[in-house]
């Protein structure tokens, strides 16, 4: 990364911080005193899920399970059932497994160290850094898709960020962060907020952008992106993901094993239905067989 790029990255933090402190959404995980456990739960729920869908589910989750030990004491099926329609229910199993480790090995306290967080089941680099920064105020770069889009445009002059590259993305975000820990944590949140609300993938609101006068992409005349593109998620309708979700809905709704006949009614394509069921069994989201029926995991 050359000096000019470092300078452009550092130059966006001050106006972004001022904008964020005026305009930031009032979200539960941003409030003073919000627990580290809540931050971990929120970060996992927010993966590929809209904020509006997460907030009520998060509040219900933390009311039922206010600490990791509370969740660990419940069977995994309860976690999957409470996940409801947030999508990607493997996240519920991962969160249950992480809660068990936190309760047993960390004294029921979410660890602060990034390496300790990475050692938890189902916790990746983004989530580990996000918890360390947003729960504990430590100074680390935190990079998600919104951050990569803002940095690609404002700093690199590119219309799209392309595929994720940790060796490029993390140093670029690091160059954006002020030295002060509180300001650095707020800058991480500010870049995410800008990407979520203003510098969106389609039709960015450049007239409302607090760093429009420092945006390299705007200064270059908004050139079309001609490099590699980030992979797009396949359509949901008619996909195996849709069939998995329909089977999961049947399992969540029943307190007794669901018969193969009942599962056969959720989708007409037997081959796709069997494939979806097999994948749920493989992922630990369902258990059973055609003789005993199928149910959520009992742990």
């Amino acid at each position: 990364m050359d000096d000019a790029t470092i300078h452009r990255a550092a130059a966006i933090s001050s106006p972004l911080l001022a904008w964020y402190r005026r305009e930031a959404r009032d979200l539960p995980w941003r409030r003073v005193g919000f627990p580290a456990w809540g931050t971990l739960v929120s970060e996992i729920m927010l993966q590929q899920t809209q904020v509006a869908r997460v907030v009520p589910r998060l509040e219900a989750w933390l009311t039922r399970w206010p600490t990791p030990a509370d969740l660990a004491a419940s069977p995994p099926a309860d976690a999957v059932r409470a996940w409801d329609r947030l999508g990607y229910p493997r996240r519920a199993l991962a969160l249950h497994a992480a809660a068990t480790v936190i309760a047993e090995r960390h004294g029921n306290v979410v660890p602060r160290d990034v390496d300790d967080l990475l050692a938890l089941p189902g916790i990746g680099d983004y989530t580990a850094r996000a918890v360390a920064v947003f729960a504990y105020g430590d100074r680390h770069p935190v990079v998600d898709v919104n951050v990569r889009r803002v940095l690609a445009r404002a700093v690199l002059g590119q219309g799209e960020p392309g595929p994720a590259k940790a060796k490029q993305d993390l140093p670029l975000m690091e160059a954006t962060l002020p030295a002060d820990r509180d300001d650095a944590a707020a800058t991480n949140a500010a870049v995410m907020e800008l990407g979520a609300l203003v510098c969106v993938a389609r039709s960015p609101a450049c007239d409302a952008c607090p760093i429009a006068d420092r945006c390299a992409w705007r200064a270059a005349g908004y050139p079309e992106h001609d490099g590699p593109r980030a992979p797009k998620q396949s359509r949901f309708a008619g996909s195996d993901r849709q069939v998995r979700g329909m089977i999961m809905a049947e399992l969540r709704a029943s307190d007794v094993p669901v018969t193969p006949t009942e599962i056969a009614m959720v989708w007409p394509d037997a081959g796709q239905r069997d494939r979806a069921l097999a994948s749920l069994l493989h992922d630990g989201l369902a258990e059973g067989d055609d003789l005993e029926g199928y149910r959520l995991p009992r742990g």
Side-chain angles (χ1 to χ4, degrees), residues 45 48-58 84-87:
M45 286 187 171
Q48 296 180 288
T49 306
Q50 295 174 334
V51 167
R53 295 179 60 205
V54 167
V55 171
R57 187 62 52 201
L58 173 68
D84 196 25
R85 300 172 67 90
L86 280 180

Side-chain angles (χ1 to χ4, degrees), residues 30 38 49 62 70 77 82 84 91 99 103 106 125 129 174-175 187 189-190 205 248:
R30 292 177 176 168
T49 306
L62 293 179
D70 294 315
D84 196 25
R91 293 181 292 169
H106 296 280
D125 186 71
R129 289 172 176 273
E174 171 68 33
T187 298
M248 285 295 297

Side-chain angles (χ1 to χ4, degrees), residues 33 49 56 173 186 193 200 217 239 246 254 256 262 271 280:
T49 306
M173 188 62 201
E193 190 84 335
V200 294
W217 186 46
S239 67
M246 296 175 75
S254 179
V256 298
E262 291 170 320
L280 291 173

Side-chain angles (χ1 to χ4, degrees), residues 14-24 190 193-194 197-198 208 210:
S14 180
L16 266 179
L17 274 175
W19 169 81
Y20 178 74
R21 286 170 171 155
R22 288 193 316 270
E23 306 291 341
E193 190 84 335
L194 190 76
L197 301 181
V198 178

Side-chain angles (χ1 to χ4, degrees), residues 24 27 35 40 43 47 65 104 116 152 154-155 201 228 232 238 267 271 285:
L27 299 173
L40 177 61
E43 288 295 342
Q47 294 168 10
W65 296 303
E104 294 177 351
D116 288 340
V155 181
K232 291 186 177 181
W267 193 255
L285 288 166

Side-chain angles (χ1 to χ4, degrees), residues 20 118 120 132 153 170 203 210 243-244 278:
Y20 178 74
L118 283 170
L120 297 175
R153 290 173 175 171
L170 290 174
S203 303
V243 183
R244 279 168 56 102

